[in-house]
């Protein structure tokens, strides 16, 4: 028997054109009714179901690249289902880039998260923090001006750095990173570290179409026009000005924060309950428990999460090159499975 397809009816789907809270509880009840009646899986197109969300860049979902992101429509749908009288807490033990956490925060709930990748934790914190946008703009100017004056900075060890960066571009990135780290407010600093990480990837020789670091190259299989664009990008990164790119990325991300603040200016920053989904902190979990868990577990060996974020982990001091294997060993999604799993 084929899956039952839910036909959305206007009397079931409650989504006012204003920014008032959307309640998808009736849709969940309709799913249950259809399944009870037919006893077959209910086929759902979440993009169509949550049609009021734009596909693509929206709010702070796209402030930094991350592999295998969960579709925001899925998280949005479930955090707005008040099946138990309104869940206050939402847990995502594999938070990744923070899609569930952001949607929960925007819905006025407290997001509890865990992840073995420290970049994921930092990114999720930044995504869900309702920063003062004017303070971010002022800090951007100060960091930019200071970086423009600085001439030296400590060397940052980055795995295979000579493969990914022109020497002068890497030096300029190090100067920019010094300027960010010398900015006084550590909470604000996190925002700019994420912007820096996006910048470091943008001015590298990495192929932007591939999650893991792979050098951008022309290919015979590509069209002449596509190869020409690749050659132009490779020429650009050899003399790129990271500070200018950083300035652009900062202002784009500030606009995203401002948009998220308009949806819910009282949204809460996530609470980190562990760096390992197998051992969630009992001190951080509410005594009443967590009534709603939404997560998209890692894709086994299909996604190389640590290698995908290796440059960011190095640049931000979250994991030096000689500790990347250690982080990979703690990750479910990994490039090489340990022998005992065989």
């Amino acid at each position: 028997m084929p899956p039952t397809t839910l036909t959305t009816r206007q009397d079931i789907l409650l989504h006012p054109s204003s920014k008032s809270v959307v309640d998808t509880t009736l849709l969940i009840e309709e799913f249950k009714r259809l399944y009870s009646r037919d006893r077959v899986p209910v086929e759902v197109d979440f993009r169509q179901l949550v049609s009021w969300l734009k596909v693509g860049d929206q709010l702070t979902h796209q402030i930094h690249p991350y592999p295998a992101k969960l579709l925001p429509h899925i998280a949005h749908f479930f955090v707005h289902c008040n099946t138990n009288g309104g869940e206050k807490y939402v847990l995502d033990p594999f938070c990744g880039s923070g899609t569930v956490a952001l949607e929960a925060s925007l819905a006025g709930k407290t997001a509890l998260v865990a992840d073995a990748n420290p970049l994921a934790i930092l990114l999720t914190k930044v995504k869900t923090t309702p920063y003062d946008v004017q303070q971010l703009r002022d800090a951007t100017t100060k960091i930019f001006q200071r970086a423009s004056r600085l001439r030296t900075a400590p060397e940052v060890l980055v795995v295979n750095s000579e493969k990914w960066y022109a020497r002068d571009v890497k030096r300029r990135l190090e100067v920019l990173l010094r300027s960010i780290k010398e900015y006084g407010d550590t909470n604000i600093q996190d925002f700019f570290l994420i912007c820096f990480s996006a910048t470091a990837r943008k001015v590298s020789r990495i192929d932007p179409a591939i999650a893991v670091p792979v050098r951008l190259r022309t290919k015979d299989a590509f069209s002449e026009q596509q190869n020409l664009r690749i050659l132009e990008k490779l020429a650009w990164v050899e003399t790129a000005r990271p500070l200018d790119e950083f300035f652009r990325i900062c202002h784009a991300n500030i606009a995203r924060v401002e948009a998220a603040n308009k949806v819910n200016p009282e949204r809460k920053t996530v609470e980190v309950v562990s760096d390992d989904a197998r051992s969630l902190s009992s001190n951080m979990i509410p005594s009443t428990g967590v009534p709603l868990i939404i997560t998209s577990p890692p894709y086994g060996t299909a996604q190389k999460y640590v290698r995908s974020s290796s440059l960011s982990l190095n640049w931000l001091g979250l994991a030096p090159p000689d500790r990347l294997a250690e982080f990979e060993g703690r990750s479910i999604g990994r490039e090489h499975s340990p022998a005992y799993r065989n």
Side-chain angles (χ1 to χ4, degrees):
M1 193 171 182
T4 299
T5 301
L6 178 68
T7 302
T8 303
R9 301 200 311 267
Q10 192 62 35
D11 61 328
I12 296 175
L13 189 56
L14 307 176
H15 64 100
S17 58
S18 66
K19 292 188 181 295
S20 55
V21 176
V22 176
D23 187 346
T24 56
T25 307
L26 290 179
L27 279 168
I28 277 285
E29 296 305 319
E30 180 71 355
F31 287 149
K32 291 179 180 178
R33 185 189 68 80
L34 290 173
Y35 182 75
S36 296
R37 184 192 68 189
D38 302 330
R39 291 295 172 181
V40 295
V42 179
E43 189 174 283
V44 180
D45 182 340
F46 281 98
R47 284 187 175 90
Q48 181 181 1
L49 194 66
V50 188
S51 58
W52 57 93
L53 282 192
K54 293 190 302 180
V55 175
D57 194 359
Q58 56 174 306
L59 307 181
T60 53
H61 279 298
Q62 301 295 332
I63 65 173
H64 190 283
Y66 201 86
K69 290 183 177 182
L70 178 68
L71 185 69
H73 302 64
I74 298 174
H76 183 97
F77 175 79
F78 285 107
V79 299
H80 286 89
C81 292
N82 295 311
T83 52
N84 294 319
E87 299 88 349
K88 182 180 178 183
Y89 293 96
V90 178
L91 171 66
D92 184 353
F94 303 98
C95 70
S97 66
T99 300
V100 171
L102 176 58
E103 288 297 334
S105 178
L106 291 170
K109 303 180 188 300
T110 300
L112 309 176
V113 300
D115 204 285
N117 190 332
L119 176 64
I121 294 295
L122 178 62
L123 178 54
T124 300
K125 282 182 178 179
V126 171
K127 272 188 175 183
T128 56
T129 299
Y131 294 102
D132 181 322
V133 293
Q134 188 56 51
Q135 188 178 11
L136 291 180
R137 292 190 181 104
D138 293 342
T140 301
T141 301
K142 291 178 181 178
I143 291 170
F144 183 92
Q145 291 174 344
R146 177 165 177 75
S148 299
R149 295 192 299 267
L150 292 172
R151 292 294 176 265
T152 62
E155 181 183 4
V156 178
L157 296 180
V158 176
V159 62
N160 298 324
S161 62
E162 68 285 346
K163 179 180 180 180
W164 308 122
Y165 297 102
R167 181 177 300 179
D168 189 56
V169 170
K170 183 172 184 289
R171 183 190 65 79
R172 290 170 185 256
L173 282 168
E174 289 165 344
V175 167
L176 173 56
L177 185 60
R178 174 187 169 186
S179 179
I180 294 170
K181 289 188 172 181
E182 290 178 355
Y183 187 80
D185 189 325
T186 55
N187 183 48
I188 292 291
Q189 198 179 93
D190 285 346
F191 172 84
F192 291 104
L193 288 174
I194 287 298
C195 293
F196 172 85
S197 176
T199 303
R201 187 176 179 94
K202 187 70 178 290
V203 300
S204 73
R205 300 184 185 114
I206 290 175
D207 188 336
I210 302 175
V212 297
V214 174
R215 189 158 179 167
L216 182 63
R217 301 179 188 277
T218 57
K219 295 181 181 179
D220 292 339
F222 293 161
S223 67
E224 181 179 352
Q225 186 177 16
Q226 189 174 1
N227 279 327
L228 181 60
R229 286 197 298 267
I230 291 173
L231 291 173
E232 289 174 347
K233 172 66 185 294
L234 289 173
W236 176 78
V237 299
E238 294 306 306
T239 58
R241 295 175 58 85
L243 190 54
D244 293 343
E245 190 63 27
F246 173 76
F247 190 81
R248 186 195 67 77
I249 288 174
C250 284
H251 280 280
N253 282 343
I254 290 170
R256 293 179 173 112
V257 170
E258 188 171 27
N261 287 353
K262 288 179 180 178
V263 173
N264 185 355
E266 304 299 325
R267 61 197 175 99
K268 297 179 181 179
T269 306
V270 295
E271 297 181 12
V272 181
V273 296
S274 182
D275 60 358
D276 191 329
R278 296 170 298 181
S279 56
L280 304 181
S281 171
S282 58
N283 294 330
M284 300 294 293
I285 300 294
S287 58
T288 54
V290 179
L292 181 60
I293 300 173
I294 307 173
T295 195
S296 178
Y299 294 112
T301 57
Q303 283 293 338
K304 305 171 181 65
Y305 291 94
V306 172
R307 191 151 76 92
S308 296
S309 54
S310 58
L311 293 187
S312 295
L313 291 169
N314 291 167
W315 273 114
L316 302 184
L318 299 172
D322 60 358
R323 289 191 61 200
L324 289 174
E326 174 188 331
F327 279 92
E328 184 181 327
R330 294 176 55 201
S331 175
I332 291 177
R334 65 182 64 179
E335 193 163 358
H336 307 290
S337 293
Y340 73 84
R341 292 190 180 222
N342 295 333

